[in-house]
């Protein structure tokens, strides 16, 4: 899924993800937030509107710079780089959100990637997003995205306090309109 144009065109005006809205209510401090795979920056904008003092939006797609032009806010830092190349200082974020974005890291090193994100959370910090389940329609031989069983997904969040963990397993469509089976774990976890 290298070309995100169709996806972005359908995610310009929707409300922020309800999972993130709920996750922010668990934040005890709002100093520093990270939006991973930030896309059209709707969630980034929501974090700024929620009062975070500093928000970093990271995505490998250069298009996010254009979306950032519509947000004139000195609290925002935009980073165009792949997850694999980002710096994650330990205990630096009060919130890390990755809305439908984590599995695109890829299979190789995925567990270590999640561990790095957890380590980058401050004590009490909140981690929220989605993991893709093994029954997902994209989980076919050769696909590069990361998929987990429910046990594996729970294991990745081990050591965190789980505030919400739900499983979605249903037929639906993708941005292009094609049919697809979705198997997704939605989570809010706290360090
Ligand atoms: C499904 S979109 C989700 C966008 C937004 N978070 C949302 O909820 O609408 C996934 C995003 O992850 C980004 N992405 C995919 N692989 C990435 C990688 N390896 N490093 C950084 N960003 C990546 C894509 O460019 C895209 O914007």
């Amino acid at each position: 899924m290298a070309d995100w144009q169709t996806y972005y065109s359908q995610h310009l005006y929707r409300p922020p993800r309800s999972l993130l809205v709920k996750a922010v209510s668990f934040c005890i401090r709002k100093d520093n937030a990270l939006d991973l795979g930030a896309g059209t920056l709707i969630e980034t904008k929501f974090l700024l509107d929620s009062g975070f003092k500093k928000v970093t939006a990271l995505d490998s797609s250069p298009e996010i710079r254009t979306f950032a032009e519509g947000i004139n806010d000195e609290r925002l830092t935009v980073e165009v780089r792949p997850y694999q190349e980002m710096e994650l200082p330990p205990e630096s974020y009060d919130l890390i959100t990755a809305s439908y974005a984590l599995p695109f890291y890829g299979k190789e090193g995925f567990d270590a990637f999640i561990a790095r994100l957890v380590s980058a959370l401050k004590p009490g910090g909140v981690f929220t997003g989605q993991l893709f389940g093994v029954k997902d329609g994209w989980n076919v031989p050769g696909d590069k995205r990361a998929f987990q069983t429910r046990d594996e997904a729970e294991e990745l969040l081990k050591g965190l306090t789980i505030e919400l963990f739900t499983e979605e397993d249903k037929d639906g469509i993708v941005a292009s309109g094609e049919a697809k089976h979705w198997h997704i774990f939605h989570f809010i976890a706290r360090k």
Side-chain angles (χ1 to χ4, degrees):
M1 207 168 176
D3 179 5
W4 290 97
Q5 295 305 326
T6 307
Y7 181 89
Y8 293 155
S9 68
Q10 295 180 3
H11 289 262
L12 288 172
Y13 304 112
R14 61 165 173 76
R17 307 280 190 190
S18 57
L19 186 74
L20 176 60
V21 174
K22 190 173 279 188
V24 165
S25 72
F26 288 103
C27 288
I28 47 177
R29 285 182 15 194
K30 291 183 177 175
D31 289 336
N32 213 352
L34 174 63
D35 185 1
L36 284 179
T40 53
L41 304 193
I42 288 173
E43 281 65 43
T44 296
K45 174 87 169 46
F46 171 73
L47 294 174
L48 291 165
D49 291 345
S50 302
F52 278 88
K53 292 181 189 149
K54 190 165 178 246
V55 179
T56 301
L58 182 140
D59 200 295
S60 53
S61 300
E63 287 95 325
I64 69 160
R65 290 208 180 94
T66 312
F67 301 126
E69 283 168 13
I71 306 173
N72 186 16
D73 194 316
E74 61 186 16
R75 296 172 296 162
L76 173 62
T77 302
V78 172
E79 286 196 33
V80 176
R81 69 179 77 219
Y83 305 136
Q84 285 81 353
E85 292 175 15
M86 69 182 168
E87 287 180 19
L88 280 169
E91 300 194 359
S92 46
Y93 292 104
D94 301 295
L95 171 78
I96 297 178
T97 178
S99 185
Y100 294 88
L102 292 171
F104 297 96
Y105 180 91
K107 296 183 197 312
E108 200 174 324
F110 186 78
D111 292 10
F113 167 54
I114 299 296
R116 282 184 69 212
L117 294 177
V118 170
S119 133
L121 282 175
K122 292 180 193 170
V126 173
F127 180 31
T128 185
Q130 286 80 18
L131 295 164
F132 289 171
V134 288
K135 287 187 269 174
D136 195 272
W138 283 333
N139 188 17
V140 293
D143 192 277
K144 292 192 169 64
R145 286 164 285 215
F147 301 89
Q148 283 79 33
T149 62
R150 186 177 178 118
D151 283 351
E152 287 166 348
E154 287 174 343
E155 181 70 19
L156 284 173
L157 302 173
K158 201 176 68 177
L160 299 173
T161 302
I162 303 300
E163 301 290 359
L164 178 149
F165 189 97
T166 60
E167 182 171 358
E168 193 180 347
D169 191 352
K170 65 166 196 198
D171 291 330
I173 55 167
V174 289
S176 64
E178 282 169 48
K180 176 184 177 276
H181 188 80
W182 291 100
H183 186 205
I184 302 176
F185 304 109
H186 305 266
F187 67 87
I188 300 172
R190 201 162 37 79
K191 191 168 176 180

